[in-house]
Each structure stands twice: as structure tokens, then as C-alpha cells.
Amino acid sequence: MIDALKVLMTGYELDPFFKRGGLGDVMASLPKALVNIGIDVRVVVPYYQIIRSEIEEERIGQFFIHFGKGEEEVGIYKKYFPNTKIIAYFLSNKPNLSYINTRGRNKKIDQFAFFDLAVAHFIPWLSKNVSWKPQVIHCNDWQTSLIPLILKRKTSLSLPTLLTIHNLNYQGRGSLKVLDILHIKDEDTKEIKRGTPVTEINILGEGIIHASRVSTVSPSYAKEIVGSYNHSPIHYFLTRREKASLDSAQGKKDEVLGILNGIDYETWNPKIDNFIFHKYDQDNWEEGKKNNKEDLLKILFLDNKPTFCFIGRMAWQKGIDILIKALKRMKVSDFNLIFLGSGTPVIEKSVLRIAKNFPSNIKTIVAYDEEMAHKLYAGSDFIIIPSRYEPCGLIQMVAMKYGTLPIASKTGGLKDSISNGENGILFEKNSVPKLSKAIKEALTIYKSKEHLKTMIVNAMRKDFSWDKSAVLYKKLYEDILKSNSKDIPVKLNP
Ligand code: ADP
């Protein structure tokens, strides 16, 4: 029997241990889908203070790394994904890493440099102590994007890496001093210094250059990012990779590949969802949605009207300001709208203000509230997703499973997962009039019950499971492994 391909996946969120957005979902659900098709996956994530009490007793070992001026201890904790045999490792950090604000510019780069260095040292620990030798390292987003560089420059492991970009706008930019802390020598950093202002490192950019392959989370986003970042520092890194693909025998292999995310129907399924008021499925959705809506509106003191929701991070990307402008031009008394989210304080304030102006129709919940999110998916008629850009987006897929129709910007993964007029409404992104028109169209559909029913059934039937995408990742890993075995391994200073 051929041994299963071994993949170590790493990122900074992992549902249900800690999650603030879609990456947490993906880190939890993709490994399960990969295991189902015969890949041996384990996951390694940072050990945050927030989960300390949950995993304290699961410490299985430690090792030391040379970080900054001294030797630092890294504690290893282990836990299984709920109801599976998939192992998640948690690596402790010094200074203790707090799991907040990890997306902003210049934030936390030292802590994630520590984590990335720890992962590079954890790989030999794994093979020595538990006889598990990963063949591909799968990094996700900037927080783990130093790993390909560290593996090349600081270890003698010639391990291939895949970097998946879940959001190109979060790049982990900060002082180049982080390289001194990592003890990466000057002669090894030529690319870094040429790419950005001499005082700055762009961690995602380093990942883009040094990873064996780069992917992103939808085919449309993969196309959109080529050429649309001309004025951003990340442009240099993307074009270097593109140029390499033209120059090298690797050809298309160096291009950024788009693989659409899926969702986990063990988590997102109204038939088994314990958070919602009434469980339902495709056979009794009419009654199920009606009852869920009734109870949702009751707890929020709203009248029975067409009900829209917004769920997500309150960030510029999500286009909440566009929605607020659209609301100001509309007859808000015709419908309900519920906002659930947290993030940038000015956006939070603007959403609280609009709810104050229309207290009988608009409610705002400023919180990260898993249970309320489930209740909104089940009890709303429509979900509004006015994103300026959306690499993939999971909320539209979840909403569709719950029979809630998405009204979404025509961009990235939203475009790849919603069929306009069939199972949702797509509108030109960044346009206040187009968004108002789309909301009005939804209200018309709502009135014509038959049309609404057809669209809801279409939405609920759509298959967003990981099955197809997991196969694409498997192929990609195999491809990376094949190409790597032909390369001359880079062996540098340990
Ligand atoms: P992003 O990754 O850009 O934040 P996605 O649509 O890919 O957006 O994923 C968002 C995930 O986070 C979904 O699972 C959604 O239900 C969840 N989520 C976002 N905001 C909240 C919130 N305030 N409360 C509960 N869940 C939330």
C-alpha cells in the first residue's frame, strides 16, 4: 500500500478553537475533506491565551528556538478536531500571543515571526518524536507567510510549500528588524530589500516569492488580483512571480491558482443546527423558515416584514458604507434589516446610528456572536453582501444552505458561487444606485411568492461541499511534490 501524502497545514484561526472570519472555517473544514480523500493532514496553529484553559492539560512536549537575543521555549499542545481523528497542534509563543487585531498593518509581525520560526523547528520535532514527516507545508495568509523563507534560509529541510492567499489586502507589513530577530542574514535578504522600502518587510510578499506554489480562494479572485494591485507594494511580488512563470520552465505552474472554498455541512446545516429555533431541511423549509423568522423577529422586536441581514467583519472591504448610503435613499419602512458584526469603530458607530434612526426596522448587534449568526441565517429572507472585493466569501454559501437569498456584489468568489436571478442577486460592486435597485428587486421577488420559492429551492440545492475543491488541492499537493523532487534542494545555514 502506498503511504498517504502527508500535509502539515498552518494558519492563525481554527474553528471551533478561535475564529473571527472565513479562514477559521476553512482551516477546520478543508482538512476534514482532505482526510476523506486519503490525505494525511495535521494542523498547527498558535496557542492563544484565549484557549489556554481548554488545552492546558494537553501539553505533549517542547523545544527551543533562537529568537532575538535569547533561546525561547515553545510548548506543544495537542487536541483532536471535534468528532474526528485529525490532530491539531498548538504552539505557545513568547510574548503570549493575544488573538485580536491580527489583520491590521504592522500588527503583531514579531509574534507571527516567532510562530513561523517555531513551525519550521516543529517539523523536525514531529518526525523525531512522533514519526510523522510532512511532505508538503500548506501556509495560509500573511501570518504564516514567513515559513517558506525560513525553511529555505534557516533549515536544511528542502520541503515544498503552498501558500494560499485568503485576502491579499492583509500583508503583514512592518519593520525589517524582524529579520535580525530571526537571525536571517543580510546576504539572504536581497529580494526583501529590493521589493519594498528598505525599512519595511512585506511578509505576504515574501511568501509569494518563496513558496513553491501560490493559490487563492476563488478562480475570479485569482484573475482579479493580477493587474489590480498596480499601486500597491504587493504588486512587486506578484509580478516577480508572474515574470518567473514566463521565464521558467515551470510555465503556468508559477501562476496564482484559484480554488473555490467549500463549507462544512456538519457545521452549516439547518437540519442539525442546535443554535437555531427550529430545525428544517429541503423538505420542510417553508415551515422551518417561517417559524425561525417569527422567533427571530420576536426577540428583536421587529414586525413581520421582508427581512434582510448583514453578517460580517465591519471593515472597509465589506462595503457597509455603500449599504448605509443606499438605505438613506430608500423607503426603509418596507422591510427589516439586522446587522451583526464588529470591527472598525467608525463603521460600528455608523451602523448603530442608522439603527437609531429607524428603530422599528433596523437593528444592529455589535458583537461576534456565533449563535446569533446561525439564527440570522435561518430566520432572514435575504442576506446583503455589498463587499468592495471578496476573495471567496463563505456567508453567501451558508445563507443559501439555509434558504436565505444572497444579494451580493459581482466580485471574486461571490461571482463564482451565485447565479444571478437563479439563486441570488448580483449587482455591480461599489454602486449605491445598483445596490438600492437590487434591494428593490428582492422586495419584488418577495411579493411574487412562486418566484421566491423557486429561487430558495435552487439556493438550498446548490452543493458547496468541499468535495470538488479538495480534489483540486490534492492534485496541487501532488504536483508540488513532483516538481520539488526535480529541484535541487536549497540547503543553507541551519
Ligand atoms: P471573511 O473571512 O472576510 O471575514 P467570510 O464570508 O469568508 O468573510 O467568512 C465569515 C465567517 O465568519 C462566516 O462563518 C460568518 O458566519 C462568520 N462571522 C463573521 N462575522 C461574525 C459575527 N459578528 N458573529 C458571528 N459570526 C461571524
Side-chain angles (χ1 to χ4, degrees):
M1 212 178 82
I2 308 166
D3 272 352
L5 175 63
K6 291 184 177 54
V7 176
L8 183 67
M9 197 177 291
T10 181
Y12 86 104
E13 288 186 78
L14 179 61
D15 189 41
F17 303 104
F18 35 87
K19 171 191 157 186
R20 282 292 175 274
L23 179 64
D25 293 279
V26 173
M27 290 288 297
S29 52
L30 176 57
K32 278 165 96 183
L34 290 168
V35 165
N36 285 343
I37 55 169
I39 306 235
D40 184 0
V41 187
R42 296 189 187 185
V43 174
V44 58
V45 290
Y47 168 91
Y48 299 107
Q49 278 172 312
I50 195 173
I51 47 163
R52 171 176 293 201
S53 57
E54 266 186 67
I55 60 172
E56 193 64 52
E57 72 281 11
E58 316 276 347
R59 189 169 168 124
I60 56 162
Q62 64 283 315
F63 57 89
F64 289 85
I65 58 174
H66 191 29
F67 186 75
K69 291 203 175 101
E71 290 282 305
E72 300 288 354
E73 185 179 304
V74 180
I76 308 162
Y77 300 79
K78 174 183 154 184
K79 241 190 144 50
Y80 290 97
F81 279 39
N83 311 317
T84 72
K85 290 202 170 125
I86 303 172
I87 297 173
Y89 296 105
F90 300 80
L91 301 184
S92 70
N93 207 322
K94 191 177 176 259
N96 273 324
L97 189 57
S98 59
Y99 174 62
I100 44 162
N101 289 335
T102 52
R103 295 200 178 216
R105 185 179 190 280
N106 271 348
K107 298 240 173 72
K108 314 269 178 192
I109 75 164
D110 288 5
Q111 282 102 319
F112 282 105
F114 184 104
F115 175 70
D116 290 4
L117 186 64
V119 171
H121 284 78
F122 178 55
I123 295 164
W125 185 94
L126 276 172
S127 37
K128 193 167 157 222
N129 294 281
V130 294
S131 306
W132 193 81
K133 218 172 168 179
Q135 294 160 285
V136 177
I137 311 299
H138 185 169
C139 309
N140 292 276
D141 272 352
W142 79 261
Q143 294 85 358
T144 51
S145 284
L146 279 174
I147 294 171
L149 171 75
I150 293 172
L151 285 176
K152 280 188 196 168
R153 301 290 187 250
K154 297 273 304 166
T155 74
S156 55
L157 304 163
S158 67
L159 271 173
T161 47
L162 168 65
L163 169 65
T164 299
I165 302 169
H166 297 256
N167 194 328
L168 193 69
N169 264 23
Y170 301 109
Q171 299 165 8
R173 289 164 60 190
S175 166
L176 259 184
K177 282 188 192 135
V178 73
L179 294 171
D180 298 335
I181 303 175
L182 288 169
H183 304 282
I184 290 182
K185 294 195 197 98
D186 231 28
E187 64 264 28
D188 292 332
T189 61
K190 289 191 189 83
E191 292 118 331
I192 295 165
K193 288 191 177 173
R194 267 193 273 140
T196 50
V198 278
T199 52
E200 194 174 85
I201 185 168
N202 185 315
I203 291 181
L204 186 68
E206 294 313 316
I208 290 172
I209 289 189
H210 292 285
S212 316
R213 290 288 299 268
V214 179
S215 74
T216 187
V217 289
S218 72
S220 284
Y221 192 60
K223 279 188 213 134
E224 283 167 18
I225 59 180
V226 179
S228 56
Y229 279 81
N230 293 357
H231 302 295
S232 154
I234 202 72
H235 176 68
Y236 165 82
F237 299 97
L238 285 168
T239 46
R240 273 212 41 189
R241 189 148 190 118
E242 225 180 302
K243 191 170 175 307
S245 79
L246 295 175
D247 294 348
S248 79
Q250 297 265 33
K252 279 188 170 290
K253 290 198 166 144
D254 277 330
E255 280 177 9
V256 178
L257 181 76
I259 301 179
L260 194 70
N261 284 337
I263 54 171
D264 180 358
Y265 287 133
E266 283 172 24
T267 304
W268 298 114
N269 187 348
K271 196 175 174 178
I272 51 169
D273 191 330
N274 288 325
F275 284 135
I276 64 179
F277 294 109
H278 307 273
K279 297 189 175 80
Y280 61 96
D281 61 16
Q282 281 180 37
D283 299 328
N284 63 349
W285 67 267
E286 283 187 78
E287 195 195 340
K289 281 204 74 70
K290 184 172 161 282
N291 293 339
N292 276 292
K293 182 174 171 182
E294 237 170 64
D295 286 351
L296 174 71
L297 299 185
K298 206 184 288 167
I299 60 165
L300 294 173
F301 304 103
L302 290 167
D303 293 338
N304 190 0
K305 288 186 180 172
T307 298
F308 297 79
C309 69
F310 170 94
I311 302 170
R313 290 179 292 112
M314 299 219 169
W316 177 83
Q317 174 198 347
K318 301 292 175 182
I320 299 166
D321 51 321
I322 302 168
L323 173 56
I324 289 180
K325 281 190 194 133
L327 291 172
K328 286 184 178 157
R329 315 162 129 225
M330 302 189 67
K331 211 171 139 210
V332 170
S333 58
D334 287 349
F335 55 88
N336 298 318
L337 172 58
I338 305 148
F339 286 97
L340 171 65
S342 59
T344 313
V346 286
I347 305 180
E348 288 180 355
K349 269 191 205 136
S350 68
V351 180
L352 286 166
R353 210 178 307 125
I354 190 105
K356 219 170 157 193
N357 292 345
F358 299 98
S360 331
N361 297 82
I362 301 183
K363 298 284 170 194
T364 292
I365 304 160
V366 172
Y368 185 90
D369 185 339
E370 196 73 42
E371 180 169 347
M372 182 50 84
H374 285 246
K375 286 186 162 55
L376 287 178
Y377 287 123
S380 310
D381 299 302
F382 302 97
I383 186 165
I384 304 180
I385 316 175
S387 306
R388 289 193 157 82
Y389 68 93
E390 198 57 74
C392 177
L394 297 176
I395 56 172
Q396 76 282 11
M397 302 185 191
V398 174
M400 283 195 243
K401 179 72 183 170
Y402 284 71
T404 297
L405 299 178
I407 302 170
S409 312
K410 204 191 281 177
T411 184
L414 298 172
K415 197 161 93 183
D416 290 345
S417 54
I418 300 168
S419 308
N420 187 33
E422 209 175 286
N423 52 27
I425 298 172
L426 287 170
F427 62 90
E428 263 346 291
K429 65 175 181 180
N430 265 332
S431 162
V432 174
K434 294 279 163 51
L435 172 54
S436 331
K437 197 166 158 246
I439 295 175
K440 283 182 197 146
E441 193 184 330
L443 291 171
T444 311
I445 293 171
Y446 184 86
K447 275 189 205 140
S448 136
K449 291 289 174 213
E450 281 317 304
H451 191 178
L452 181 71
K453 272 190 207 167
T454 312
M455 285 182 76
I456 292 177
V457 170
N458 290 343
M460 289 186 83
R461 278 200 191 137
K462 184 100 186 161
D463 180 9
F464 290 114
S465 63
W466 270 105
D467 299 353
K468 278 182 246 146
S469 298
V471 171
L472 296 177
Y473 273 108
K474 184 176 182 208
K475 275 202 194 120
L476 185 53
Y477 296 145
E478 286 167 352
D479 211 23
I480 291 173
L481 204 55
K482 237 185 272 161
S483 312
N484 192 61
S485 63
K486 287 185 206 138
D487 290 347
I488 301 154
V490 189
K491 294 207 181 214
L492 283 156
N493 47 313

